[in-house]
Amino acid sequence: MDRFNHPPGRMTRRSLLGATGVAGLALMTARSWAQSLYNLGLPGKLSVRPLTTAFPQKGEMVLQRTRPPLLETPMEVFNVGTITPNDRFFVRWHWAAVPEAVDEAAFRLKVRGHVDKEIELTLDQILHDFERIEYQAINQCSGNSRGLFQPSVAGGEWGNGAMGNALWTGIRLKDVLDRAGVKSGAVDVRMGGLDEALMPDAPKFLKSLAVDHARDGEVMIAFAMNKEQLPLLNGFPLRLVVPGWYSTYWVKMLTDIEVLDHPDDQFWMAKAYQIPKTPFGNIAPGTKDFPKEPINRMVPRSFVTNLKDGQLVKPAAPLAISGIAMGGDAGVAKVELSIDDGKSWSAASLGADGGKYAFRRFAGSIATPVSGTMTILARCTNNNGIAQPPAMIWNPGGYMQCGIERTRITVGGGV
Amino acid sequence: MNRTIALAFLASGLMGIAGCSQEKGASFSAGQAVASVGQDFALQSVSVSFPPDKTAEFPAGAGADAINNNCRACHSPAMILTQPPLKHEEWVKEIDKMRTTFKAPVNDADVPAILAYLDNLSARQNEGSLAAPGGAATTK
């Protein structure tokens, strides 16, 4: 059965019956029908996941994995505004040893290492002893859309929902580093959270920024997300916000900052999260030897959110197209739409500008064909003049997907 | 795509949608000192419980005991059950990464049975007869 017969998204019993066939039906009847399922539209692999409301401080999420928690935001959430609600924001942890409780009074943020004096800050000090900053920024998993890679690669098989945009409030990492006094010769600033590795000698999750990046005045220690304290699963009480960079650097439950006088060469910087040193991290599938670097700045992306892939539409009628775009490490300059596979493009109108690191809505309209199908392409170009590449990219880690998305519509009767 | 469809964009170009007009962003600095969160904002201690595993055990099959005994200490079965079909040597690499890098306590004697289970998982996925965790069959 063609895997594209059914639009991705919440599955009805009827579409599920159509998708499973006889063997699947036998299996399904052995279990409960009550469970809602979600089709991520992943090609050539298992594409359906349960929807769950079982996680604390979280609404309905696509369940990728219970432990360590891996929860994806359903795409419908991105069809409303530009801010992703806290209870629908995606969740990703590396190790299962995530504390289920955090005591506000007992919590401390330490700054140590290559500094004049080591310091420990209470949450009260963090809230009141430093100047506050605030901005919207997109938090996107390095492996967002890995499930769309062809050929497939191993890892968390996300659809497009491992991303979100929030208004973050906090203090500058720079100001906290200045309070400890960074010594000359500092190279990297390494961040750690309250989560721990499960096995002795296994690498605790730690990420580093170059000292100049850490002190750029934009990198934030956030204590509020959309004007509320962070959900525990999104990093309560403190999370590093590295605007324009992939989520792997946005260390959750941030409790330890270590200034290093040498490059951070531990596993999570030197071995994990490596991308090919090529435009968009793109290489031909199967390429064995290529120069690598740690993943870093994000690149432009755009998603049509008001239509599902495979959606039935009215013939010969105007059809509104709308969605969200991101510029990556620069603002959204323009979003264009094409219905001839990229031969010609027309500019979409842009919604309110929430800042260079935020989602921005786009909207346009096309006329649907009299019959048959049509494929709608959306392409974002950022203020650095970087446009999304025409085809899906590939690398062995399944990182940094940014190729132009294609949304198929079919003119159908009864719509 | 034929020319008729290619010309389907309205002559005036794409129609703007009401309330979604182009707005010029004010000069923006992410490091600027502002906060809509008031000084009375306070953090409250949090205590929650994570839910039990949705799919607690690997489905029955040759090698199920070995994989249940060795591969659930660090992660849910779902992490493996949602992988794309992998080749034998890719599964070998994954097991090696779990043992060498992440220090998973896997018994040497159980590795062949675990590999057999994983190979069978991928084979069934390739032939389209595998159910995803939670009960839905593949959409292939």
Side-chain angles (χ1 to χ4, degrees):
Chain A
M1 180 168 294
D2 186 281
R3 67 183 66 99
F4 295 128
N5 279 354
H6 306 281
R10 184 190 294 274
M11 298 183 81
T12 61
R13 178 179 169 133
R14 193 172 156 206
S15 72
L16 190 61
L17 286 171
T20 52
V22 177
L25 180 60
L27 211 146
M28 286 304 299
T29 48
R31 298 168 194 248
S32 166
W33 279 107
Q35 179 175 278
S36 295
L37 298 168
Y38 194 89
N39 184 355
L40 294 168
L42 312 181
K45 69 203 72 171
L46 298 169
S47 183
V48 174
R49 305 284 187 272
L51 283 161
T52 180
T53 54
F55 285 81
Q57 304 172 302
K58 286 285 150 186
E60 191 172 62
M61 300 293 287
V62 178
L63 179 64
Q64 289 279 9
R65 182 180 72 193
T66 303
R67 183 177 51 91
L70 212 59
L71 306 174
E72 176 160 352
T73 304
M75 284 306 283
E76 304 88 88
V77 172
F78 301 113
N79 194 35
V80 182
T82 53
I83 293 287
T84 313
N86 291 359
D87 69 346
R88 309 302 296 279
F89 215 95
F90 86 98
V91 170
R92 189 265 191 270
W93 291 88
H94 297 81
W95 287 109
V98 179
E100 291 179 299
V102 176
D103 183 333
E104 184 274 331
F107 181 88
R108 295 291 183 275
L109 173 64
K110 296 180 204 67
V111 185
R112 62 192 176 92
H114 199 61
V115 292
D116 294 332
K117 61 173 191 303
E118 301 196 345
I119 57 171
E120 280 197 5
L121 300 170
T122 64
L123 289 172
D124 189 61
Q125 286 175 299
I126 286 163
L127 260 65
H128 299 111
D129 291 4
F130 296 87
E131 190 168 66
R132 291 182 181 180
I133 59 171
E134 182 172 85
Y135 50 80
Q136 288 183 36
I138 294 160
N139 174 242
Q140 179 182 212
C141 183
S142 306
N144 191 24
S145 318
R146 183 181 287 112
L148 301 173
F149 272 62
Q150 291 181 285
S152 295
V153 297
E157 300 298 311
W158 298 108
N160 286 330
M163 61 176 184
N165 179 47
L167 176 68
W168 307 95
T169 309
I171 61 177
R172 296 179 191 90
L173 175 58
K174 175 186 191 298
D175 292 346
V176 170
L177 289 170
D178 285 352
R179 182 157 304 194
V182 174
K183 284 185 179 169
S184 70
V187 176
D188 278 348
V189 179
R190 180 157 72 192
M191 266 63 66
L194 292 175
D195 51 320
E196 294 289 344
L198 270 188
M199 299 299 160
D201 307 327
K204 177 183 165 74
F205 183 70
L206 300 167
K207 294 298 287 194
S208 288
L209 299 176
V211 67
D212 287 348
H213 186 187
R215 301 184 68 190
D216 73 356
E218 284 196 344
V219 176
M220 180 197 296
I221 297 169
F223 53 74
M225 175 178 179
N226 296 329
K227 304 182 189 181
E228 294 174 358
Q229 66 182 37
L230 281 69
L232 180 131
L233 285 168
N234 293 106
F236 178 83
L238 302 176
R239 177 171 205 171
L240 197 72
V241 171
V242 189
W245 283 48
Y246 284 96
S247 182
T248 182
Y249 296 97
W250 299 40
V251 172
K252 298 182 289 297
M253 294 187 177
L254 177 68
T255 188
D256 186 43
I257 299 173
E258 184 181 9
V259 180
L260 305 176
D261 63 359
H262 58 273
D264 184 6
D265 60 357
Q266 53 88 36
F267 172 77
W268 295 105
M269 287 304 295
K271 296 278 195 322
Y273 289 102
Q274 302 293 303
I275 55 163
K277 221 172 169 174
T278 59
F280 305 109
N282 186 27
I283 54 172
T287 307
K288 287 277 186 291
D289 295 311
F290 49 86
K292 298 182 180 109
E293 65 181 342
I295 195 165
N296 47 83
R297 296 165 184 279
M298 297 199 291
V299 290
R301 299 194 75 178
S302 56
F303 306 89
V304 171
T305 57
N306 72 320
L307 301 169
K308 286 175 177 163
D309 194 32
Q311 185 144 345
L312 291 175
V313 298
K314 285 182 187 159
L319 178 67
I321 311 288
S322 68
I324 49 166
M326 67 172 91
D329 65 340
V332 172
K334 61 179 175 180
V335 176
E336 299 159 293
L337 301 176
S338 173
I339 54 170
D340 58 4
D341 203 36
K343 290 191 228 11
S344 63
W345 295 91
S346 294
S349 60
L350 294 179
D353 185 359
K356 66 194 271 196
Y357 301 121
F359 280 145
R360 194 157 181 189
R361 293 210 72 82
F362 64 87
S365 176
I366 59 163
T368 61
V370 174
S371 63
T373 64
M374 179 183 271
T375 301
I376 300 160
L377 283 65
R379 177 177 70 182
C380 176
T381 303
N382 73 15
N383 281 326
N384 291 337
I386 306 294
Q388 290 180 254
M392 288 293 176
I393 62 108
W394 193 91
N395 57 59
Y399 297 129
M400 217 169 158
Q401 187 53 264
C402 58
I404 290 172
E405 305 279 329
R406 286 164 164 77
T407 307
R408 278 155 297 190
I409 54 171
T410 301
V411 170
V415 181
Chain B
M1 186 168 292
N2 67 36
R3 189 168 296 172
T4 320
I5 294 174
L7 291 172
F9 276 119
L10 301 183
S12 58
L14 291 155
M15 297 187 296
I17 298 299
C20 196
S21 59
Q22 175 105 31
E23 290 176 28
K24 241 199 157 98
S27 66
F28 174 78
S29 163
Q32 214 167 288
V34 280
S36 58
V37 171
Q39 285 296 320
D40 57 345
F41 179 82
L43 298 174
Q44 308 294 331
S45 295
V46 172
S47 180
V48 300
S49 297
F50 299 151
D53 226 317
K54 187 95 187 165
T55 304
E57 293 195 345
F58 287 88
D65 284 349
I67 200 163
N68 273 318
N69 291 340
N70 288 285
C71 302
R72 295 185 297 163
C74 299
H75 59 73
S76 303
M79 187 59 199
I80 291 173
L81 297 171
T82 55
Q83 289 306 300
L86 299 180
K87 298 188 191 83
H88 179 77
E89 53 273 24
E90 291 176 303
W91 282 125
V92 169
K93 263 176 65 181
E94 290 298 323
I95 293 176
D96 183 59
K97 184 169 82 178
M98 296 305 145
R99 302 183 78 187
T100 310
T101 304
F102 298 121
K103 313 295 180 190
V106 177
N107 292 325
D108 282 332
D110 287 337
V111 171
I114 294 169
L115 266 171
Y117 188 96
L118 296 171
D119 284 341
N120 183 43
L121 205 63
S122 291
R124 286 166 62 209
Q125 210 185 138
N126 278 325
E127 71 195 26
S129 67
L130 187 71
T138 176
T139 54
K140 188 174 180 178

